[in-house]
Amino acid sequence: KPRLSHREAMAGLEAEAIQDFIDGFGRVHLRGEDWSARSEHPIRRGDKVRVITMEDEGLVLAVTPTSTGNGKQ
């Protein structure tokens, strides 16, 4: 069985936004580390997000909200 790359292993993991995203960029906390992240969706501090992939530049995660119906505005 081929080993997953670090990038592939990150996909699907859940993280928490540690700041509001501004212009699609912010920071998330994942497995004890803080990461730069981007999203096409509005993300607020405390929101749970799911990792889609790690960007080609590395160290930037593409994320999406785990739920769009959480009632937050």
Side-chain angles (χ1 to χ4, degrees), residues 33-54:
E33 296 182 353
D34 294 345
W35 292 81
S36 294
R38 71 164 187 85
S39 181
E40 296 177 1
H41 305 277
I43 305 286
R44 306 281 296 177
R45 182 179 183 196
D47 285 353
K48 300 294 185 196
V49 297
R50 187 163 316 282
V51 176
I52 301 168
T53 188
M54 183 184 288

Tab-separated table of all heavy atoms in Angstrom, residues 33-54:
chain	number	residue	atom	x	y	z
A	33	GLU	N	-0.919	22.547	16.141
A	33	GLU	CA	-0.158	23.551	15.402
A	33	GLU	C	-1.101	24.567	14.779
A	33	GLU	O	-2.234	24.243	14.429
A	33	GLU	CB	0.668	22.895	14.286
A	33	GLU	CG	1.734	21.951	14.775
A	33	GLU	CD	2.545	21.367	13.627
A	33	GLU	OE1	2.197	21.587	12.455
A	33	GLU	OE2	3.538	20.685	13.912
A	34	ASP	N	-0.619	25.794	14.622
A	34	ASP	CA	-1.372	26.836	13.928
A	34	ASP	C	-0.908	26.892	12.477
A	34	ASP	O	0.297	26.830	12.207
A	34	ASP	CB	-1.156	28.200	14.590
A	34	ASP	CG	-1.735	28.247	16.000
A	34	ASP	OD1	-2.537	27.364	16.351
A	34	ASP	OD2	-1.373	29.176	16.733
A	35	TRP	N	-1.884	27.017	11.577
A	35	TRP	CA	-1.612	27.021	10.142
A	35	TRP	C	-2.256	28.233	9.491
A	35	TRP	O	-3.343	28.655	9.891
A	35	TRP	CB	-2.222	25.786	9.479
A	35	TRP	CG	-1.591	24.492	9.862
A	35	TRP	CD1	-1.842	23.762	10.998
A	35	TRP	CD2	-0.633	23.746	9.130
A	35	TRP	NE1	-1.087	22.621	11.001
A	35	TRP	CE2	-0.339	22.583	9.856
A	35	TRP	CE3	0.008	23.955	7.905
A	35	TRP	CZ2	0.573	21.645	9.414
A	35	TRP	CZ3	0.911	23.005	7.459
A	35	TRP	CH2	1.185	21.859	8.218
A	36	SER	N	-1.624	28.759	8.449
A	36	SER	CA	-2.288	29.713	7.573
A	36	SER	C	-3.277	28.926	6.729
A	36	SER	O	-3.015	27.774	6.354
A	36	SER	CB	-1.270	30.400	6.656
A	36	SER	OG	-0.399	31.193	7.409
A	37	ALA	N	-4.417	29.554	6.452
A	37	ALA	CA	-5.447	28.852	5.687
A	37	ALA	C	-6.189	29.832	4.796
A	37	ALA	O	-6.196	31.036	5.037
A	37	ALA	CB	-6.421	28.157	6.641
A	38	ARG	N	-6.830	29.273	3.781
A	38	ARG	CA	-7.678	30.081	2.917
A	38	ARG	C	-8.997	29.352	2.710
A	38	ARG	O	-9.068	28.125	2.810
A	38	ARG	CB	-7.000	30.375	1.574
A	38	ARG	CG	-6.893	29.170	0.668
A	38	ARG	CD	-6.595	29.579	-0.761
A	38	ARG	NE	-6.655	28.419	-1.632
A	38	ARG	CZ	-7.771	27.939	-2.173
A	38	ARG	NH1	-8.928	28.508	-1.939
A	38	ARG	NH2	-7.734	26.869	-2.946
A	39	SER	N	-10.044	30.118	2.412
A	39	SER	CA	-11.354	29.532	2.162
A	39	SER	C	-12.153	30.448	1.252
A	39	SER	O	-12.013	31.674	1.310
A	39	SER	CB	-12.124	29.327	3.473
A	39	SER	OG	-13.382	28.748	3.215
A	40	GLU	N	-12.997	29.868	0.424
A	40	GLU	CA	-13.906	30.637	-0.415
A	40	GLU	C	-15.192	30.965	0.346
A	40	GLU	O	-16.066	31.625	-0.188
A	40	GLU	CB	-14.221	29.870	-1.693
A	40	GLU	CG	-13.004	29.649	-2.566
A	40	GLU	CD	-13.301	28.825	-3.804
A	40	GLU	OE1	-14.468	28.426	-4.000
A	40	GLU	OE2	-12.351	28.573	-4.568
A	41	HIS	N	-15.287	30.486	1.579
A	41	HIS	CA	-16.473	30.688	2.417
A	41	HIS	C	-16.129	31.607	3.585
A	41	HIS	O	-14.989	31.627	4.034
A	41	HIS	CB	-16.975	29.355	2.969
A	41	HIS	CG	-17.252	28.347	1.896
A	41	HIS	ND1	-18.426	28.314	1.203
A	41	HIS	CD2	-16.479	27.354	1.396
A	41	HIS	CE1	-18.372	27.331	0.316
A	41	HIS	NE2	-17.202	26.732	0.414
A	42	PRO	N	-17.128	32.337	4.107
A	42	PRO	CA	-16.863	33.144	5.312
A	42	PRO	C	-16.547	32.233	6.495
A	42	PRO	O	-17.258	31.262	6.732
A	42	PRO	CB	-18.163	33.905	5.550
A	42	PRO	CG	-19.074	33.600	4.423
A	42	PRO	CD	-18.480	32.473	3.632
A	43	ILE	N	-15.485	32.526	7.195
A	43	ILE	CA	-15.065	31.745	8.370
A	43	ILE	C	-14.881	32.713	9.524
A	43	ILE	O	-14.232	33.744	9.384
A	43	ILE	CB	-13.734	30.999	8.110
A	43	ILE	CG1	-13.809	30.111	6.861
A	43	ILE	CG2	-13.304	30.207	9.347
A	43	ILE	CD1	-14.596	28.851	7.017
A	44	ARG	N	-15.445	32.354	10.683
A	44	ARG	CA	-15.322	33.170	11.887
A	44	ARG	C	-14.503	32.410	12.925
A	44	ARG	O	-14.479	31.189	12.939
A	44	ARG	CB	-16.703	33.490	12.476
A	44	ARG	CG	-17.692	34.118	11.508
A	44	ARG	CD	-17.473	35.568	11.295
A	44	ARG	NE	-17.705	36.284	12.552
A	44	ARG	CZ	-17.522	37.584	12.686
A	44	ARG	NH1	-17.098	38.298	11.690
A	44	ARG	NH2	-17.740	38.174	13.844
A	45	ARG	N	-13.875	33.165	13.827
A	45	ARG	CA	-13.123	32.544	14.921
A	45	ARG	C	-14.021	31.561	15.656
A	45	ARG	O	-15.168	31.867	15.973
A	45	ARG	CB	-12.634	33.631	15.870
A	45	ARG	CG	-11.814	33.088	17.000
A	45	ARG	CD	-11.320	34.195	17.894
A	45	ARG	NE	-10.486	33.619	18.924
A	45	ARG	CZ	-10.151	34.245	20.018
A	45	ARG	NH1	-10.565	35.474	20.244
A	45	ARG	NH2	-9.389	33.660	20.908
A	46	GLY	N	-13.490	30.369	15.918
A	46	GLY	CA	-14.234	29.331	16.616
A	46	GLY	C	-14.968	28.367	15.702
A	46	GLY	O	-15.394	27.307	16.143
A	47	ASP	N	-15.109	28.722	14.417
A	47	ASP	CA	-15.775	27.819	13.470
A	47	ASP	C	-14.931	26.571	13.261
A	47	ASP	O	-13.702	26.631	13.212
A	47	ASP	CB	-15.977	28.488	12.105
A	47	ASP	CG	-17.090	29.517	12.090
A	47	ASP	OD1	-17.810	29.640	13.109
A	47	ASP	OD2	-17.234	30.195	11.059
A	48	LYS	N	-15.607	25.436	13.111
A	48	LYS	CA	-14.937	24.190	12.743
A	48	LYS	C	-14.844	24.150	11.226
A	48	LYS	O	-15.809	24.462	10.522
A	48	LYS	CB	-15.719	22.970	13.241
A	48	LYS	CG	-15.901	22.939	14.748
A	48	LYS	CD	-14.589	22.761	15.464
A	48	LYS	CE	-14.835	22.612	16.963
A	48	LYS	NZ	-13.641	22.799	17.743
A	49	VAL	N	-13.678	23.776	10.734
A	49	VAL	CA	-13.454	23.684	9.294
A	49	VAL	C	-12.838	22.337	8.957
A	49	VAL	O	-12.262	21.671	9.819
A	49	VAL	CB	-12.540	24.826	8.781
A	49	VAL	CG1	-13.186	26.180	8.988
A	49	VAL	CG2	-11.174	24.791	9.450
A	50	ARG	N	-12.986	21.931	7.706
A	50	ARG	CA	-12.396	20.688	7.231
A	50	ARG	C	-11.342	21.027	6.176
A	50	ARG	O	-11.573	21.862	5.305
A	50	ARG	CB	-13.466	19.782	6.624
A	50	ARG	CG	-12.946	18.408	6.270
A	50	ARG	CD	-14.027	17.381	6.049
A	50	ARG	NE	-15.106	17.399	7.024
A	50	ARG	CZ	-15.070	16.897	8.266
A	50	ARG	NH1	-13.971	16.339	8.711
A	50	ARG	NH2	-16.121	16.947	9.052
A	51	VAL	N	-10.197	20.374	6.268
A	51	VAL	CA	-9.113	20.604	5.316
A	51	VAL	C	-9.468	19.940	3.990
A	51	VAL	O	-9.829	18.762	3.950
A	51	VAL	CB	-7.774	20.040	5.840
A	51	VAL	CG1	-6.670	20.199	4.803
A	51	VAL	CG2	-7.390	20.710	7.152
A	52	ILE	N	-9.372	20.712	2.906
A	52	ILE	CA	-9.567	20.172	1.568
A	52	ILE	C	-8.233	19.664	1.028
A	52	ILE	O	-8.127	18.548	0.550
A	52	ILE	CB	-10.135	21.248	0.610
A	52	ILE	CG1	-11.468	21.770	1.134
A	52	ILE	CG2	-10.269	20.703	-0.799
A	52	ILE	CD1	-11.956	23.020	0.424
A	53	THR	N	-7.217	20.512	1.120
A	53	THR	CA	-5.885	20.151	0.641
A	53	THR	C	-4.866	21.128	1.219
A	53	THR	O	-5.236	22.134	1.810
A	53	THR	CB	-5.815	20.174	-0.904
A	53	THR	OG1	-4.566	19.629	-1.328
A	53	THR	CG2	-5.965	21.576	-1.458
A	54	MET	N	-3.594	20.798	1.030
A	54	MET	CA	-2.518	21.732	1.343
A	54	MET	C	-2.106	22.365	0.021
A	54	MET	O	-1.916	21.662	-0.973
A	54	MET	CB	-1.332	21.006	1.976
A	54	MET	CG	-0.207	21.936	2.389
A	54	MET	SD	1.220	21.036	3.035
A	54	MET	CE	0.581	20.504	4.617
